[in-house]
Amino acid sequence: EDGSWMYGAPNLKPYDDGAIKAASNDMLGLLGYYNSNVEGLHYPLLCIIDYRGYRLLAISILPIHKTDTLVYGSQDASQHAYNSNREFSIKMKQVGEQLGLKEHKVQGRAKVLVNGTLQDQPVIKICAPVDIEGHLGTDGKFYVLDFGRTFPPEAPSRPGRQIFYNLLRPEFVRQYKIPLSSDSYSNFGKIDGDIHRQEV
């Protein structure tokens, strides 16, 4: 409504090239998680469909509910952020170590009602982008989805939304001398943000 686009800029047209890159990043992130072979994590089937200049992502339906099964990450652009299942958190850290991703602090932006008072959400640590989704499915299995920002962004040359689609190559991140935060340069990673940006 405010004229902003996820892959564009305020008051400008959407940037379809950025959206196409983001779809490819989703597949790269999924492949990184899948190839980590961490036991007990499950993933959706994902297919990229290119047709007449358009790109679609087709994804299988999983036994999850939008918020009821969410135990890790965020499904609402970090209004609420979760890391509420220790077993799942350990598995995500194992994947992050293989992929070269830094565990970092995040905090949901929305106030929550605690004992009748609105309070800030607690600061939590995650080893992925905050907008990844980790679910404990209705079948009792752990599911991960929304891999579009798995790998950290390139250092931007100008302000803008390119941090959401110009990402570092997975091979570079894996081999880099230190782990890097997926949320570098975004408001999601504002806690210790200067440190994350310097590392990238």
Side-chain angles (χ1 to χ4, degrees):
E1 294 178 11
D2 64 358
S4 294
W5 300 89
M6 181 65 198
Y7 307 110
N11 304 315
L12 296 176
K13 292 181 179 178
Y15 182 54
D16 292 335
D17 289 356
I20 287 170
K21 287 180 186 177
S24 297
N25 291 336
D26 217 308
M27 182 64 83
L28 285 173
L30 169 61
L31 290 172
Y33 273 82
Y34 180 79
N35 290 328
S36 70
N37 293 314
V38 171
E39 191 175 339
L41 292 181
H42 300 83
Y43 311 99
L45 296 173
L46 185 67
C47 177
I48 293 178
I49 302 166
D50 289 323
Y51 182 73
R52 294 189 175 194
Y54 292 92
R55 176 164 287 178
L56 299 173
L57 278 180
I59 187 169
S60 59
I61 296 173
L62 299 174
I64 60 174
H65 295 120
K66 192 171 184 178
T67 54
D68 296 343
T69 58
L70 188 66
V71 296
Y72 195 92
S74 176
Q75 54 80 33
D76 58 6
S78 112
Q79 288 298 317
H80 301 87
Y82 301 92
N83 185 355
S84 59
N85 184 293
R86 187 171 185 278
E87 184 182 356
F88 189 90
S89 183
I90 290 169
K91 292 178 185 301
M92 291 296 283
K93 192 167 183 180
Q94 289 171 347
V95 176
E97 287 170 355
Q98 289 188 46
L99 298 182
L101 302 180
K102 178 183 183 180
E103 186 177 52
H104 60 285
K105 296 175 185 174
V106 296
Q107 184 177 32
R109 294 179 290 166
K111 300 275 188 184
V112 292
L113 196 61
V114 179
N115 298 325
T117 6
L118 284 176
Q119 296 182 9
D120 290 334
Q121 293 176 55
V123 173
I124 60 171
K125 286 185 175 182
I126 62 169
C127 199
V130 72
D131 53 353
I132 203 162
E133 292 183 34
H135 292 263
L136 177 55
T138 56
D139 59 355
K141 295 179 180 176
F142 290 129
Y143 293 94
V144 187
L145 63 150
D146 204 354
F147 306 93
R149 292 191 326 102
T150 295
F151 297 101
E154 295 178 0
S157 57
R158 65 188 189 289
R161 295 183 177 264
Q162 65 270 22
I163 61 168
F164 296 115
Y165 53 84
N166 283 344
L167 307 185
L168 297 171
R169 295 288 304 163
E171 301 82 4
F172 174 82
V173 178
R174 270 192 217 101
Q175 295 173 13
Y176 198 62
K177 57 188 176 186
I178 56 171
L180 300 173
S181 169
S182 302
D183 291 321
S184 298
Y185 290 100
S186 77
N187 285 334
F188 301 137
K190 63 184 178 183
I191 300 173
D192 300 327
D194 289 341
I195 296 169
H196 303 324
R197 286 189 290 274
Q198 286 171 10
E199 291 172 343
V200 170

